[in-house]
Amino acid sequence: MARAFAEIAFTPSVLAAQAVNGSRSAYARLLQPETGRGDRLGEIEAAFISLRDGFYQASVSETGWPYVQFRGGPCGFLKVLDATRIAYADYRGNRQYLSAGNIASDGRVALILMDYPNRRRLKIWGRASLVEAAQDPGLLTRLMPREYPARPERAVVIDVEAFDWNCPAHIPERFTLEELDTVIAPVREEMETLRAENDRLKREVARLSSDVEGCG
């Protein structure tokens, strides 16, 4: 954890809750001036982001209501532009435009990126802006996954304010079909080896049985 995260997340109400529940002293150092800010994405974060095929995004409406949306696409559709910016192509959906409307009014967003098989979670806070396709077609071309059958309407560019890695506690292990295939591939190979060995032994037994009958 770093100071940039604490400055955003540890509001007076949160600090009061920490004090009541006995964790205030454990996090107090995060608000000290000498604590690193931690608002620049490094190689570890960039690699993690490039492998995600979806994330949860929270925005805030003009009436103060949060809205959480799942954004999905091919692995790497959320791209790291540089150490302080990430972006993705906003595909046409049900045309309610809840996230787009919220971002146009208040750009503050929070993202949660999940790696269920390895029980890892990255939280990102940032300020989002909408870039329409006509404004920067080159950016949309850069963000669109190759051969992905979706129609992009705009780009969402997020200036990262802070991020934080969560502990793995209570994260269930879940697998996509592709991830599951990787996990069971060694088991499948072992089964094929055993099946081939079993067939060989059957042939050997049949041959020995034939030899015995011939001797009789």
Side-chain angles (χ1 to χ4, degrees):
M1 294 184 185
R3 185 157 55 92
F5 155 72
E7 288 176 348
I8 292 175
F10 292 174
T11 63
S13 295
V14 171
L15 293 175
Q18 291 175 357
V20 170
N21 291 279
S23 63
R24 179 72 193 95
S25 59
Y27 292 115
R29 63 178 180 79
L30 294 178
L31 292 173
Q32 299 303 312
E34 64 271 14
T35 303
R37 283 196 52 79
D39 52 0
R40 297 181 65 82
L41 300 172
E43 293 182 1
I44 294 176
E45 289 75 31
F48 182 84
I49 292 171
S50 71
L51 295 175
R52 305 279 67 80
D53 61 0
F55 58 89
Y56 301 93
Q57 174 184 276
S59 56
V60 184
S61 73
E62 294 163 285
T63 54
W65 284 100
Y67 175 67
V68 178
Q69 183 182 48
F70 178 79
R71 309 304 301 245
C75 288
F77 79 99
L78 176 63
K79 298 188 181 300
V80 176
L81 301 181
D82 53 47
T84 60
R85 292 186 306 154
I86 57 179
Y88 63 91
D90 187 14
Y91 314 131
R92 172 168 290 188
N94 60 14
R95 299 176 63 81
Q96 290 184 345
Y97 300 112
L98 298 180
S99 293
N102 288 349
I103 290 173
S105 172
D106 185 336
R108 290 177 299 172
V109 294
L111 277 58
I112 292 183
L113 284 65
M114 300 298 303
D115 175 5
Y116 287 107
N118 297 297
R119 302 178 67 210
R120 295 190 298 169
R121 172 174 49 197
L122 177 63
K123 300 182 296 187
I124 299 175
W125 286 263
R127 297 184 183 274
S129 58
L130 306 177
V131 181
E132 298 299 325
Q135 291 178 262
D136 193 344
L139 177 61
L140 262 296
T141 299
R142 178 181 177 185
L143 295 178
M144 269 305 294
R146 188 172 300 175
E147 299 180 357
Y148 187 59
R151 178 178 175 181
E153 293 188 317
R154 64 189 57 80
V156 178
V157 180
I158 301 172
D159 292 303
V160 177
E161 296 278 341
F163 66 86
D164 180 48
W165 289 93
N166 259 142
C167 72
H170 313 300
I171 299 178
E173 288 186 275
R174 295 174 179 165
F175 300 85
T176 64
L177 292 177
E178 292 79 8
E179 291 166 342
L180 185 61
D181 186 66
T182 300
V183 172
I184 66 176
V187 178
R188 186 184 296 113
E189 292 176 3
E190 184 177 3
M191 289 179 61
E192 291 297 327
T193 300
L194 292 174
R195 184 178 292 111
E197 179 66 12
N198 188 51
D199 290 342
R200 186 189 68 78
L201 291 173
K202 284 182 178 179
R203 291 194 298 270
E204 183 67 16
V205 169
R207 185 186 65 79
L208 291 174
S209 297
S210 178
D211 291 346
V212 171
E213 290 176 0
C215 291

